[in-house]
Amino acid sequence: MARVDQANPTRVYWIESRPQEGGRLVLLSKDVDDYSERTLRELTADSKWNVRTAVHEYGGGAYAVYGGLVVFSNWSDQGVYLVDTNKHDAVPMRIGEQNDKLRYASFVVHPSKKFVVCVREDHRESDIQAPAALVAIPIPSGSIINEKDEYPLAKDVVLFDKTDFVSSPAISPMNNELSFYAWNHPDMNWDATTLYCATVTLGGDGIPSVLEHLRVVAGAPGEPRESIYQPRFDDDGILHFISDRSGFWNPYYLGADGEIQQSLESPLSADFAGPEWTFGESTLQPVPGLKFSVVISYTQNGVLKLGILNVATHAIEDLPAPGWSGVGSFQLGYSHSGEQVLVLIAGGPMEHMSLFTYYINGLSAKQHTGSKV
């Protein structure tokens, strides 16, 4: 899973597996336009760190970054850890409730850097049908450390716990609007989910206190069943998502009138996403600075296609996919020369899955050396 720091979009973070260390997952970072190891940093070099979560047992979505602040789940205790990568000597420190029976995933750091929103799975009572919730975890300042050089315990703020499962929180860059999807037994998320939106109300300390104006955007009970994935806000606060309401996972967006609009001129017999066994999937991503546009990928007649979709005109600008049969982890960033790039993980029959920087204007991709993911 790769992530571009949206507060510093020249920097990419990704997870790499180390087979020689028992499959330990390591978090690394480098500049998006560095194809050597000149700017490479290994952020979890110590063997006690394994950036992996056990939520849903399959995991995924084990970290997030914003403004150099990285929040991640560690496998051994399922704890949430914070590390400030702006400091080269910083070490991860545990935050939140610090209870080994709580598991966390699908993190998103609020732009204020005062809290992180994520999925929590609670195993304190039982490992069978452990309840899930959307929670906010306060991010302590560097000065709040106790006599043991640890951050003090801080209670999770439960924002939503009305369903059996919840996933993929996204925060609008325009305001404190929050979107996520949820579902209930006996469904799997590829059977039927519900897309929600709400407003995060902050207390005087800048920490969420409650969700207000909670509403169903799509997939309401009583409506035709649909599987909804990947809620994403663009620069203008427009909510984009993927739904299989047509029989295939196609892109849609929420119009200014509150009505759901087709991003394509008409439904396409092709899937723009796959079943989400794990958290953190990304095959749809709004393009910053390019109004009404999202990067998409889809498979049609067995052929992988990559492109930029303008949801207003419904036009798709094709991007060559050089021999790839699998792509994901779409993130938009910038080179140091100011050119917009798509960072993604891709691979095919002739190469393993690796980290690439795709120069959209030049229609070319460059592989990051040694980035086996």
Side-chain angles (χ1 to χ4, degrees):
M1 187 181 89
R3 290 290 179 263
V4 167
D5 184 345
Q6 292 304 313
N8 179 19
T10 62
R11 196 78 185 170
V12 61
Y13 297 71
W14 75 99
I15 289 177
E16 195 169 280
S17 176
R18 297 286 169 82
Q20 69 275 21
E21 298 180 46
R24 184 170 76 93
L25 299 180
V26 179
L27 183 62
L28 301 104
S29 172
K30 68 189 309 188
D31 290 349
V32 299
D33 51 1
D34 172 20
Y35 309 103
S36 64
E37 296 186 356
R38 181 177 55 83
T39 63
L40 179 67
R41 291 181 63 189
E42 190 169 328
L43 303 174
T44 54
D46 194 303
S47 60
K48 69 181 179 181
W49 305 121
N50 188 355
V51 185
R52 184 180 172 195
T53 176
V55 177
H56 294 177
E57 308 303 329
Y58 293 101
Y63 78 98
V65 58
Y66 189 86
L69 286 186
V70 173
V71 175
F72 69 90
S73 171
N74 190 42
W75 179 253
S76 62
D77 56 13
Q78 290 300 298
V80 179
Y81 287 80
L82 172 71
V83 59
D84 186 352
T85 66
N86 298 300
K87 304 172 183 177
H88 277 266
D89 59 346
V91 296
M93 297 181 66
R94 195 168 182 177
I95 62 173
E97 293 204 14
Q98 304 183 26
N99 186 318
D100 293 1
K101 291 291 187 179
L102 298 174
R103 304 176 183 179
Y104 300 86
S106 201
F107 301 96
V108 57
V109 179
H110 188 266
S112 69
K113 299 196 285 188
K114 291 187 174 182
F115 63 94
V116 58
V117 176
C118 61
V119 174
R120 185 185 75 181
E121 193 175 72
D122 190 344
H123 291 254
R124 286 177 290 192
E125 297 296 328
S126 173
D127 287 328
I128 300 174
Q129 295 190 1
L134 199 65
V135 302
I137 301 175
I139 294 178
S141 69
S143 59
I144 306 176
I145 298 177
N146 62 22
E147 64 278 2
K148 296 181 180 179
D149 270 353
E150 298 171 337
Y151 287 123
L153 299 178
K155 284 287 186 182
D156 299 338
V157 180
V158 176
L159 300 175
F160 178 87
D161 61 356
K162 301 180 184 300
T163 56
D164 294 327
F165 303 97
V166 62
S167 181
S168 305
I171 298 174
S172 171
M174 298 290 292
N175 47 40
N176 287 320
E177 192 81 356
L178 176 71
S179 185
F180 57 94
Y181 74 83
W183 72 102
N184 287 305
H185 288 299
D187 289 322
M188 300 293 278
N189 61 34
W190 48 83
D191 295 319
T193 61
T194 299
L195 181 64
Y196 291 89
C197 267
T199 303
V200 181
T201 299
L202 305 180
D205 56 359
I207 305 300
S209 56
V210 68
L211 282 188
E212 294 187 320
H213 313 300
L214 180 68
R215 58 201 181 279
V216 171
V217 174
E223 294 182 356
R225 288 157 57 86
E226 58 184 309
S227 170
I228 300 165
Y229 289 155
Q230 299 188 41
R232 305 279 190 266
F233 289 100
D234 65 20
D235 282 351
D236 297 312
I238 296 172
L239 178 63
H240 302 261
F241 59 94
I242 292 174
S243 168
D244 72 347
R245 57 176 51 194
S246 71
F248 291 86
W249 277 302
N250 277 202
Y252 296 83
Y253 70 96
L254 187 63
D257 58 359
E259 297 296 320
I260 295 171
Q261 306 293 332
Q262 286 185 168
S263 302
L264 302 166
E265 188 169 9
S266 59
L268 193 63
S269 297
D271 282 323
F272 288 69
E276 293 200 351
W277 288 91
T278 61
F279 293 97
E281 302 295 331
S282 181
T283 55
L284 169 83
Q285 201 64 245
V287 182
L290 198 57
K291 203 172 183 66
F292 302 128
S293 295
V294 292
V295 174
I296 47 89
S297 71
Y298 59 100
T299 302
Q300 190 174 38
N301 299 323
V303 178
L304 174 74
K305 297 185 179 182
L306 185 68
I308 298 177
L309 166 65
N310 184 306
V311 303
T313 65
H314 311 301
I316 297 178
E317 176 191 351
D318 289 329
L319 301 176
W324 296 332
S325 57
V327 294
S329 283
F330 290 180
Q331 297 281 289
L332 276 297
Y334 290 90
S335 70
H336 283 87
S337 64
E339 186 174 352
Q340 193 165 52
V341 297
L342 168 65
V343 179
L344 73 163
I345 291 173
M350 304 303 292
E351 58 189 349
H352 53 74
M353 297 297 284
S354 300
L355 183 70
F356 286 85
T357 291
Y358 195 112
Y359 287 78
I360 296 173
N361 293 336
L363 301 180
S364 64
K366 293 186 178 181
Q367 182 178 6
H368 288 268
T369 305
S371 60
K372 296 180 180 180
V373 295

